[in-house]
Structures are given as C-alpha cells and as structure tokens.
Amino acid sequence: MSNFSILFALSITILLRLAHCHIIDELTDVDLVELDQKAQKQKLSRFRIYWHDITSGTPPSSIPIVKPVIKTGFGQINMIDNPLTLGPELSSKAVGKAQGFYGLASQEELGFLMAMNFFFTTGKYNGSSITILGRNAVFDHVREMPIIGGAGLFRWARGYVQARTHDLDLKSGDTTVEYTIYVMHY
C-alpha cells in the first residue's frame, strides 16, 4: 500500500470519527434536556405478585441447564419461564412471566444468583418488563434484590424487590415466592 493510500485512509478515518463525535455530542445535549424534563415526572409503583417455580410439572417452568459437579449443588443453573400471578395459588389470575435464570452461587448455603425479567402480559403494565439481578439467600425470611432496568412503562426503572417464600415443597422442588416490587419509573 502506498504512503498516499495510508495517509488518505487515515484522514478519512479521523474525519469520520470527528463527525461521529459531533453527532453524539449533539444527541447527548438533546437527551439531557429530555431526561431533565422526565425526572420531574418520575413515580414510585408498589405492587405484589407471586412467582411460581415449577420443577415437577409437565412441562416444568424451571429446568436445570447446567448440572452441578459436586454433591452440594453448587454451580447448578436453572432456566426459567415461571408464571407470575396475583395470588399465591397457581390458578389465580396470571399477570405475566418471570423469564431468565438462577444459579446456585454459594458453597455454604442455598444462595442463588438471580437474573430475570418480570414480563407483564395484562393490565396497566401489559407489554412492559422489569429486570432483576441479585443475590437470593433462599432460607432468609426476606430477601432483597435490585431492579436494574426495565422496558415499556418501566423504561429507566430502578428500585428493588423483596422476596418471601410462600410455599416450598421439598420433595418436588416446586416453590411459590411472594414478590413485593418497589420501582421508580417514568
């Protein structure tokens, strides 16, 4: 490649980067103004739903995708598509799905890393979701996990959930957990 070709390619690259930076700067200024206006309209929503982890059903809503290599279960990961309902009974009104995974991340206790979206399919939040990522020490009476984002009506979401085990069948592994959600959104 000639020196002219290298110099020409380098010049074009620099010009494109400068143009890109200028466009980004302009968009950022506009976005900041819009965010400042939206910050005044932020609200807190609080509601309660029930999460049903069904490992024994046909089909199950939770399946192991990585099996543990040691007897403690450490390292097992389950993929979930769990029903969310208004009441603790699985037959109560369905409001959405919890989709994601959890993995046994503690060697000393039953402590999971939870990564899931609560995707709502009815009512005011139909088509919206919140994203939860955090530690869940299952045998603690109340567990708190952060809400790290959302979509739809929960765009720019932040907050936390409190989880309380409502029912646990040690034989089947099926579990119902009450989630109280505190979410700031626009």
Side-chain angles (χ1 to χ4, degrees):
M1 193 180 227
S2 73
N3 286 341
F4 175 75
S5 298
I6 293 171
L7 185 58
F8 180 74
L10 185 59
S11 298
I12 294 297
T13 302
I14 291 171
L15 286 173
L16 288 174
R17 289 198 182 264
L18 288 173
H20 178 71
C21 289
H22 179 69
I23 291 170
I24 294 296
D25 286 343
E26 287 179 17
L27 289 176
T28 303
D29 291 341
V30 171
D31 290 343
L32 288 175
V33 171
E34 289 177 15
L35 283 177
D36 286 342
Q37 291 171 350
K38 285 184 178 181
Q40 298 169 6
K41 298 176 187 174
Q42 194 173 37
K43 59 187 166 201
L44 171 67
S45 292
R46 178 190 173 275
F47 52 96
R48 180 175 298 134
I49 57 176
Y50 291 84
W51 179 91
H52 301 273
D53 194 51
I54 305 164
T55 59
S56 66
T58 306
S61 69
S62 175
I63 60 168
I65 58 170
V66 175
K67 302 273 186 177
V69 293
I70 57 177
K71 291 181 183 180
T72 64
F74 174 70
Q76 178 169 326
I77 298 174
N78 276 43
M79 187 64 61
I80 63 169
D81 186 22
N82 290 347
L84 297 173
T85 62
L86 285 181
E89 298 79 25
L90 186 56
S91 60
S92 64
K93 182 178 180 182
V95 294
K97 294 282 196 152
Q99 298 171 325
F101 63 90
Y102 59 83
L104 188 52
S106 175
Q107 295 187 56
E108 289 83 35
E109 63 181 331
L110 195 57
F112 290 112
L113 165 66
M114 309 285 293
M116 59 187 166
N117 288 316
F118 281 9
F119 177 69
F120 298 95
T121 56
T122 62
K124 177 180 178 180
Y125 302 120
N126 185 20
S128 299
S129 64
I130 59 173
T131 301
I132 300 162
L133 174 67
R135 182 176 188 277
N136 184 351
V138 175
F139 290 122
D140 287 357
H141 178 66
V142 178
R143 290 90 65 195
E144 191 171 290
M145 292 171 276
I147 294 172
I148 62 168
L153 291 178
F154 294 117
R155 203 172 288 129
W156 299 101
R158 68 183 199 280
Y160 65 98
V161 298
Q162 289 183 330
R164 291 174 176 80
T165 301
H166 182 271
D167 187 38
L168 170 61
D169 184 333
L170 291 175
K171 185 176 180 183
S172 70
D174 292 352
T175 307
T176 301
V177 178
E178 173 190 293
Y179 275 86
T180 305
I181 299 165
Y182 301 88
V183 59
M184 298 291 292
H185 59 100
Y186 295 100

